Amino acid sequence: MGKRKALLSLKLQSFSDRDKVWEKHKVNGELVATHYADSQFADYSRRIALCGESLDFELVNDQLKLKNTWFCRVRHCPICQWRRSLKWKAKAYAMMPKLVEDFPKARWLFVTLTVKNCAIADLRETITWMHEGFKRMSKLKAFPATGWIKATEVTMGQDGLAHPHFHCLLMVSPSYFSGAYYLSKERWGSMWQQSLRADYAPIIDIRAVQKGDDLAELIPEILKYQTKESDLTADREWLLELTQQLHKTRAIAIGGVLRDYMRELANEPEDLTDEVTGEQGEENVLTFSWHGDEKHYILEY
C-alpha cells in the first residue's frame, strides 16, 4: 500500500510546473461538461469529459513536450480553447519577422471598443451590429489604420448580461503621432458612436504600443480567449445560450494589409484545434492520466 501511494503521488505538476495548467483547464472542463449534460449540447458534454484524459509527453532537454492526446474540438471546452489560443500565437510569432521587415517604421495601437451590455439572447444580433459598425468606421477618411487584428470577447456582467467587446491591434503610420493625423480618445469615441449609429457614447480605450516593445509578445494578448473560463463555468443557462448565440461566428478578423501576412489566422476554423500525433510506447514517453477524484494528472506505469 505504501508503494502504491508513493506512485500515485507522482503528479504532472511535480514533473513540470509549466504544465500544471493542464489541471486547471481539465477541472474547468469537467464543470463545463456538467453544464452541457442533459441539454441540446449533450454530445459536447460527452466529448469534453473525454478531452485530454490521457497525456503522452516526451522528455526533451529535461522538459516535457506534449506528444499525443485527444482533443474534443468543442469551441467552449477550456482545454481546446487554451490549445487553440496557443496555435494562434505560434502562427502569429511565425508571421512577425516578415511583417516587421516590410514595415520597419510602423507603429501600433491597442484599441478596445465596447457597447452597452445586452441580454445573452441578443448577443448574436449585437455582435453583428458591432461588426457592421467597425466596417463603417474602417472606411472613414479619418480612420488611421492600414491593417488590423480584431478579436471578439464576451464576458458576463455582474447583472448576468453579456458584455461583448472588440480587442483590436491597429497598424498605423509613424506620422499618426504628429500634428493633424493624431486622434484623441474623444475623437475615437465619436467615430465609434457614429459608425455604430448609437444614441449613446460607448466606452473605448486607446493605448499606443511603445517603440521597442516586442510585437510578437503583444499579439498573444489579443488572441488569448473569446470567453473567460470563469464565465463558462459560472452559470449553466448562460453557457447554453452563449453556445447557441456564438455558433458558427468568428472570433478573429484580419483587415487591411495584415491579411497578406496573417491570412491563416483569419481562416482558422474556430471550433478546431490541431491534434497532437505521434507514436506511443517509446522509452522516453511519459503518460499522465486524469484522476478526477484527486483533480490531478498522475503518472502511469
PDB file of all heavy atoms in Angstrom, residues 214-228:
ATOM      1  N   ASP A 214       8.235  44.387 -27.998  1.00  0.00           N
ATOM      2  CA  ASP A 214       8.243  43.229 -28.886  1.00  0.00           C
ATOM      3  C   ASP A 214       6.811  42.932 -29.321  1.00  0.00           C
ATOM      4  O   ASP A 214       5.993  42.473 -28.530  1.00  0.00           O
ATOM      5  CB  ASP A 214       8.849  42.028 -28.165  1.00  0.00           C
ATOM      6  CG  ASP A 214       9.005  40.820 -29.082  1.00  0.00           C
ATOM      7  OD1 ASP A 214       8.538  40.881 -30.239  1.00  0.00           O
ATOM      8  OD2 ASP A 214       9.584  39.813 -28.642  1.00  0.00           O
ATOM      9  N   LEU A 215       6.525  43.193 -30.590  1.00  0.00           N
ATOM     10  CA  LEU A 215       5.172  42.992 -31.094  1.00  0.00           C
ATOM     11  C   LEU A 215       4.743  41.536 -30.990  1.00  0.00           C
ATOM     12  O   LEU A 215       3.569  41.232 -30.767  1.00  0.00           O
ATOM     13  CB  LEU A 215       5.083  43.465 -32.545  1.00  0.00           C
ATOM     14  CG  LEU A 215       3.674  43.645 -33.115  1.00  0.00           C
ATOM     15  CD1 LEU A 215       2.902  44.682 -32.316  1.00  0.00           C
ATOM     16  CD2 LEU A 215       3.742  44.037 -34.580  1.00  0.00           C
ATOM     17  N   ALA A 216       5.701  40.626 -31.141  1.00  0.00           N
ATOM     18  CA  ALA A 216       5.384  39.201 -31.037  1.00  0.00           C
ATOM     19  C   ALA A 216       4.898  38.830 -29.643  1.00  0.00           C
ATOM     20  O   ALA A 216       4.214  37.831 -29.454  1.00  0.00           O
ATOM     21  CB  ALA A 216       6.608  38.359 -31.405  1.00  0.00           C
ATOM     22  N   GLU A 217       5.245  39.637 -28.651  1.00  0.00           N
ATOM     23  CA  GLU A 217       4.766  39.402 -27.294  1.00  0.00           C
ATOM     24  C   GLU A 217       3.398  40.032 -27.069  1.00  0.00           C
ATOM     25  O   GLU A 217       2.674  39.658 -26.146  1.00  0.00           O
ATOM     26  CB  GLU A 217       5.766  39.973 -26.279  1.00  0.00           C
ATOM     27  CG  GLU A 217       7.112  39.276 -26.254  1.00  0.00           C
ATOM     28  CD  GLU A 217       7.020  37.882 -25.671  1.00  0.00           C
ATOM     29  OE1 GLU A 217       6.069  37.621 -24.916  1.00  0.00           O
ATOM     30  OE2 GLU A 217       7.896  37.054 -25.987  1.00  0.00           O
ATOM     31  N   LEU A 218       3.040  41.008 -27.904  1.00  0.00           N
ATOM     32  CA  LEU A 218       1.790  41.734 -27.712  1.00  0.00           C
ATOM     33  C   LEU A 218       0.608  41.066 -28.407  1.00  0.00           C
ATOM     34  O   LEU A 218      -0.511  41.081 -27.894  1.00  0.00           O
ATOM     35  CB  LEU A 218       1.943  43.167 -28.232  1.00  0.00           C
ATOM     36  CG  LEU A 218       3.002  44.012 -27.523  1.00  0.00           C
ATOM     37  CD1 LEU A 218       3.159  45.357 -28.217  1.00  0.00           C
ATOM     38  CD2 LEU A 218       2.641  44.223 -26.063  1.00  0.00           C
ATOM     39  N   ILE A 219       0.840  40.488 -29.571  1.00  0.00           N
ATOM     40  CA  ILE A 219      -0.254  39.871 -30.325  1.00  0.00           C
ATOM     41  C   ILE A 219      -0.980  38.792 -29.520  1.00  0.00           C
ATOM     42  O   ILE A 219      -2.210  38.711 -29.561  1.00  0.00           O
ATOM     43  CB  ILE A 219       0.266  39.318 -31.669  1.00  0.00           C
ATOM     44  CG1 ILE A 219       0.562  40.486 -32.616  1.00  0.00           C
ATOM     45  CG2 ILE A 219      -0.751  38.382 -32.307  1.00  0.00           C
ATOM     46  CD1 ILE A 219       1.062  40.074 -33.975  1.00  0.00           C
ATOM     47  N   PRO A 220      -0.273  37.949 -28.755  1.00  0.00           N
ATOM     48  CA  PRO A 220      -0.995  36.945 -27.972  1.00  0.00           C
ATOM     49  C   PRO A 220      -2.026  37.521 -27.010  1.00  0.00           C
ATOM     50  O   PRO A 220      -2.986  36.835 -26.651  1.00  0.00           O
ATOM     51  CB  PRO A 220       0.135  36.230 -27.211  1.00  0.00           C
ATOM     52  CG  PRO A 220       1.314  36.362 -28.113  1.00  0.00           C
ATOM     53  CD  PRO A 220       1.184  37.724 -28.717  1.00  0.00           C
ATOM     54  N   GLU A 221      -1.853  38.767 -26.576  1.00  0.00           N
ATOM     55  CA  GLU A 221      -2.844  39.374 -25.696  1.00  0.00           C
ATOM     56  C   GLU A 221      -4.185  39.531 -26.398  1.00  0.00           C
ATOM     57  O   GLU A 221      -5.241  39.498 -25.766  1.00  0.00           O
ATOM     58  CB  GLU A 221      -2.339  40.739 -25.210  1.00  0.00           C
ATOM     59  CG  GLU A 221      -1.184  40.656 -24.236  1.00  0.00           C
ATOM     60  CD  GLU A 221      -1.539  39.887 -22.978  1.00  0.00           C
ATOM     61  OE1 GLU A 221      -2.576  40.193 -22.366  1.00  0.00           O
ATOM     62  OE2 GLU A 221      -0.788  38.965 -22.623  1.00  0.00           O
ATOM     63  N   ILE A 222      -4.143  39.706 -27.716  1.00  0.00           N
ATOM     64  CA  ILE A 222      -5.374  39.823 -28.495  1.00  0.00           C
ATOM     65  C   ILE A 222      -6.034  38.452 -28.664  1.00  0.00           C
ATOM     66  O   ILE A 222      -7.254  38.339 -28.762  1.00  0.00           O
ATOM     67  CB  ILE A 222      -5.060  40.421 -29.887  1.00  0.00           C
ATOM     68  CG1 ILE A 222      -4.477  41.825 -29.743  1.00  0.00           C
ATOM     69  CG2 ILE A 222      -6.289  40.444 -30.778  1.00  0.00           C
ATOM     70  CD1 ILE A 222      -5.457  42.870 -29.351  1.00  0.00           C
ATOM     71  N   LEU A 223      -5.213  37.399 -28.694  1.00  0.00           N
ATOM     72  CA  LEU A 223      -5.690  36.073 -29.087  1.00  0.00           C
ATOM     73  C   LEU A 223      -5.867  35.111 -27.916  1.00  0.00           C
ATOM     74  O   LEU A 223      -5.902  33.903 -28.116  1.00  0.00           O
ATOM     75  CB  LEU A 223      -4.697  35.463 -30.092  1.00  0.00           C
ATOM     76  CG  LEU A 223      -4.337  36.333 -31.299  1.00  0.00           C
ATOM     77  CD1 LEU A 223      -3.302  35.629 -32.159  1.00  0.00           C
ATOM     78  CD2 LEU A 223      -5.564  36.660 -32.122  1.00  0.00           C
ATOM     79  N   LYS A 224      -5.989  35.609 -26.706  1.00  0.00           N
ATOM     80  CA  LYS A 224      -5.995  34.735 -25.529  1.00  0.00           C
ATOM     81  C   LYS A 224      -7.196  33.794 -25.491  1.00  0.00           C
ATOM     82  O   LYS A 224      -7.062  32.589 -25.362  1.00  0.00           O
ATOM     83  CB  LYS A 224      -5.963  35.581 -24.254  1.00  0.00           C
ATOM     84  CG  LYS A 224      -4.636  36.239 -23.980  1.00  0.00           C
ATOM     85  CD  LYS A 224      -4.624  36.897 -22.617  1.00  0.00           C
ATOM     86  CE  LYS A 224      -5.649  38.012 -22.508  1.00  0.00           C
ATOM     87  NZ  LYS A 224      -5.542  38.752 -21.229  1.00  0.00           N
ATOM     88  N   TYR A 225      -8.388  34.336 -25.533  1.00  0.00           N
ATOM     89  CA  TYR A 225      -9.607  33.536 -25.425  1.00  0.00           C
ATOM     90  C   TYR A 225     -10.780  34.392 -25.869  1.00  0.00           C
ATOM     91  O   TYR A 225     -10.678  35.616 -25.940  1.00  0.00           O
ATOM     92  CB  TYR A 225      -9.845  33.060 -23.986  1.00  0.00           C
ATOM     93  CG  TYR A 225      -9.658  34.137 -22.940  1.00  0.00           C
ATOM     94  CD1 TYR A 225     -10.552  35.208 -22.827  1.00  0.00           C
ATOM     95  CD2 TYR A 225      -8.569  34.111 -22.074  1.00  0.00           C
ATOM     96  CE1 TYR A 225     -10.376  36.201 -21.883  1.00  0.00           C
ATOM     97  CE2 TYR A 225      -8.385  35.106 -21.123  1.00  0.00           C
ATOM     98  CZ  TYR A 225      -9.289  36.142 -21.032  1.00  0.00           C
ATOM     99  OH  TYR A 225      -9.112  37.138 -20.102  1.00  0.00           O
ATOM    100  N   GLN A 226     -11.895  33.748 -26.167  1.00  0.00           N
ATOM    101  CA  GLN A 226     -13.093  34.513 -26.506  1.00  0.00           C
ATOM    102  C   GLN A 226     -13.960  34.742 -25.279  1.00  0.00           C
ATOM    103  O   GLN A 226     -14.595  35.787 -25.149  1.00  0.00           O
ATOM    104  CB  GLN A 226     -13.910  33.804 -27.591  1.00  0.00           C
ATOM    105  CG  GLN A 226     -15.097  34.650 -28.065  1.00  0.00           C
ATOM    106  CD  GLN A 226     -15.751  34.120 -29.310  1.00  0.00           C
ATOM    107  OE1 GLN A 226     -15.646  32.946 -29.639  1.00  0.00           O
ATOM    108  NE2 GLN A 226     -16.445  34.994 -30.024  1.00  0.00           N
ATOM    109  N   THR A 227     -13.990  33.772 -24.379  1.00  0.00           N
ATOM    110  CA  THR A 227     -14.756  33.909 -23.137  1.00  0.00           C
ATOM    111  C   THR A 227     -13.932  33.325 -21.999  1.00  0.00           C
ATOM    112  O   THR A 227     -13.404  32.214 -22.119  1.00  0.00           O
ATOM    113  CB  THR A 227     -16.108  33.173 -23.226  1.00  0.00           C
ATOM    114  OG1 THR A 227     -16.838  33.647 -24.362  1.00  0.00           O
ATOM    115  CG2 THR A 227     -16.937  33.402 -21.970  1.00  0.00           C
ATOM    116  N   LYS A 228     -13.813  34.048 -20.902  1.00  0.00           N
ATOM    117  CA  LYS A 228     -13.036  33.577 -19.767  1.00  0.00           C
ATOM    118  C   LYS A 228     -13.618  32.272 -19.226  1.00  0.00           C
ATOM    119  O   LYS A 228     -14.829  32.082 -19.196  1.00  0.00           O
ATOM    120  CB  LYS A 228     -13.045  34.628 -18.654  1.00  0.00           C
ATOM    121  CG  LYS A 228     -12.370  35.940 -19.018  1.00  0.00           C
ATOM    122  CD  LYS A 228     -12.510  36.941 -17.886  1.00  0.00           C
ATOM    123  CE  LYS A 228     -11.887  38.277 -18.252  1.00  0.00           C
ATOM    124  NZ  LYS A 228     -12.078  39.286 -17.183  1.00  0.00           N
TER     125      LYS A 228
END
